[in-house]
Amino acid sequence: MLLSLYRACSAALAPLAPPFLLWRARMRRARLRPEDRLRSQERLAKPSLPRPHGRLAWLHGAAAADIAPLIPLIERLGAAGFAVLVTTRDDGSTPIRLPPTALHQCAPLDAPRFVKPFLAYWRPDVALFAASEFWPNFISESRKRGLPIALINARLSARAFLFWRKLPGVARDLFGGVDLCLARSEADAQRFRFFGASCAQAAGDPIYDLAPSPADAAALARLLARIGARPVWAAFPAGALEEDIVIEAHQKIARNFPDLLTIIAPRHAKRGFDVALRAGRLGLDARVATAADHDSGALPAIHIVGAGDAGLFYRATGVIFLGKSLRGGGGINPVEAAKLGCAILHGPDVDDFEEVYAAVDGAGGGAVVNDAQALASEASLLLFDAAELRAMGRAAADEVERLNGASWRIMQALAPYLAQIFVRPEIEDEAES
């Protein structure tokens, strides 16, 4: 009953969608850009890209953060002969580094008026919904077309479980109708089974399968030469508060390590000069790296770089601080740093990657710091004790290695459904038939 009411309401409100999307785009930005209009059209099921030839898997997630852990799975689907259509509900402003076999579009609004033409144009062979994206019309319209439907890296938190318990009929209709539910953990799988998803099983978190981003070997060699024998650590703060905490920690650490090199990578590159200015007011030698540096010469006490080169600095330093974690924000994904053997320091607010940090910290590869004093103390200890630094970095690397393999397990579970797709004839373009 409630699900039918939802579908009826979504259908009735669909005519209001175009002006609403334009209004929202204007509210977000003072000037409406051409790409804003393009993205709004995608949300109305008007594609901006042609459909690739051959088999197509549709993978939907809320935002880039839900898709990023699934890159290894996308690569496996590509190797299996599928192009992958990735959709998200955000406007695509957060970049997603997709493999060549994948393309991105904004997801249509969850109303039959938009979902039906979306499916008719793209003609996916399988529908994969990531994390907590359980949109009724997405699932029901995919079911009507006879698509295999799988929930991938699915999670149902304790809070979400209590919500769905108030709507048991809706939950059973949604979750009981999927062909496969591959949950992030056994606890998630049990919650899905409670609502009728008898196919639910724990596959693990594919975030652990992410490979470290590549680093230019020559650039790394030049950086290591410039660092030399100096004690060095790197920090990735988010916002002025964390930047000031890192600067204060540098001052405290430098009391015991006068030639200390602190590498700061602000989350937003435009903040680099502001960080240098604030550090300079404290009498510190702080400079922003520029092309004029020519990768030569002595580095300042505080070397400010772009966060986009994180892989380079993970490899060049053993001690790192991952920000966006001291005063809310949810944290930064620590898997890449852990795989590269870094000792990871972070604040307590890591809700976005809570299970990952718990695993790394529990194995002895990470430590929680709450302020500049704690950050300076932990970093100083690791810089002083090389054996402890190596042990902590090794523990982090070993733990994420132990937890990987979810992408392979997901592909194994999907294999019977993918095999059926390859034995049936390809669907002709409905627009031409």
Side-chain angles (χ1 to χ4, degrees):
M1 179 65 179
L2 288 176
L3 204 53
S4 298
L5 179 62
Y6 171 86
R7 290 171 181 149
C9 289
S10 64
L13 293 173
L16 301 177
F20 169 74
L21 290 175
L22 289 176
W23 171 81
R24 188 175 67 170
R26 286 195 176 95
M27 290 296 291
R28 288 179 173 178
R29 300 178 179 91
R31 182 175 62 87
L32 196 61
R33 305 170 303 177
E35 56 265 37
D36 297 328
R37 293 184 181 276
L38 183 65
R39 289 303 189 179
S40 295
Q41 293 301 300
E42 290 175 9
R43 299 230 64 192
L44 301 176
K46 297 178 180 179
S48 60
L49 295 171
R51 184 200 188 279
H53 294 293
R55 310 295 182 183
L56 181 70
W58 172 29
L59 173 61
H60 173 71
D66 290 314
I67 299 300
L70 298 173
I71 296 301
L73 175 64
I74 295 173
E75 293 171 341
R76 288 180 179 272
L77 286 167
F82 285 84
V84 181
L85 170 65
V86 174
T87 61
T88 57
R89 287 189 288 111
D90 61 12
D91 62 3
S93 57
T94 302
I96 309 174
R97 295 180 181 178
L98 294 174
T101 55
L103 65 157
H104 176 263
Q105 294 277 275
C106 283
L109 297 173
D110 189 51
R113 176 173 175 172
F114 307 121
V115 178
K116 287 181 178 179
F118 170 86
L119 292 173
Y121 178 85
W122 291 104
R123 308 185 317 279
D125 295 285
V126 59
L128 310 175
F129 301 116
S132 302
E133 285 294 281
F134 316 129
W135 290 97
N137 288 310
F138 280 15
I139 293 176
S140 64
E141 294 299 332
S142 297
R143 192 182 303 162
K144 288 177 184 178
R145 292 180 67 92
L147 299 181
I149 301 172
L151 306 183
I152 301 296
N153 199 25
R155 65 176 183 264
L156 199 61
S157 67
R159 180 179 298 179
F161 177 75
L162 293 176
F163 169 80
W164 286 111
R165 284 197 67 171
K166 299 175 183 177
L167 303 169
V170 176
R172 288 187 178 278
D173 193 25
L174 279 178
F175 305 137
V178 302
D179 297 288
L180 195 59
C181 178
L182 301 172
R184 180 178 298 183
S185 68
E186 180 57 33
D188 289 305
Q190 289 177 1
R191 293 173 187 136
F192 282 110
R193 286 194 288 266
F194 179 89
F195 292 121
S198 58
C199 58
Q201 56 185 283
D205 192 338
I207 196 171
Y208 297 107
D209 297 340
L210 288 171
S213 57
D216 181 80
L220 178 59
R222 290 192 295 269
L223 177 61
L224 290 173
R226 298 181 75 186
I227 294 173
R230 294 173 66 182
V232 58
W233 69 299
F236 297 80
L241 175 65
E242 289 189 344
E243 291 161 2
D244 287 340
I245 287 175
V246 169
I247 292 171
E248 183 180 350
H250 167 87
Q251 292 177 296
K252 295 179 181 297
I253 300 169
R255 295 170 187 168
N256 297 316
F257 300 92
D259 57 344
L260 175 69
L261 169 60
T262 296
I263 297 173
I264 300 180
R267 189 164 181 81
H268 300 290
K270 62 183 180 181
R271 297 193 56 80
F273 290 100
D274 185 51
V275 174
L277 180 63
R278 299 203 311 274
R281 288 172 180 163
L282 298 172
L284 301 172
D285 181 14
R287 297 197 300 272
V288 177
T290 65
D293 289 339
H294 300 298
D295 294 322
S296 62
L299 291 169
I302 296 180
H303 184 50
I304 303 167
V305 300
D309 295 324
L312 178 68
F313 300 106
Y314 289 162
R315 289 172 170 88
T317 62
V319 184
I320 65 164
F321 165 71
L322 295 182
K324 202 183 172 186
S325 61
L326 283 172
R327 298 293 186 275
I332 296 172
N333 184 355
V335 170
E336 181 179 8
K339 285 198 170 186
L340 293 173
C342 295
I344 300 170
L345 307 178
H346 61 89
D349 299 316
V350 290
D351 290 349
D352 289 352
F353 304 96
E354 183 176 6
E355 293 178 359
V356 185
Y357 276 101
V360 172
D361 292 354
V368 180
V369 295
N370 292 291
D371 51 31
Q373 182 59 56
L375 177 57
S377 297
E378 290 287 347
S380 296
L381 173 64
L382 293 168
L383 292 173
F384 178 78
D385 190 341
E388 176 63 20
L389 173 58
R390 287 192 299 269
M392 196 168 173
R394 186 165 56 249
D398 289 347
E399 182 64 9
V400 294
E401 179 67 23
R402 183 184 70 82
L403 293 169
N404 71 10
S407 298
W408 179 84
R409 289 188 288 273
I410 292 172
M411 282 299 293
Q412 289 295 105
L414 287 172
Y417 302 95
L418 302 183
Q420 292 177 15
I421 291 169
F422 275 100
V423 299
R424 72 177 186 231
E426 289 194 45
I427 301 173
E428 295 297 326
D429 191 334
E430 297 182 11
E432 298 175 354
S433 59

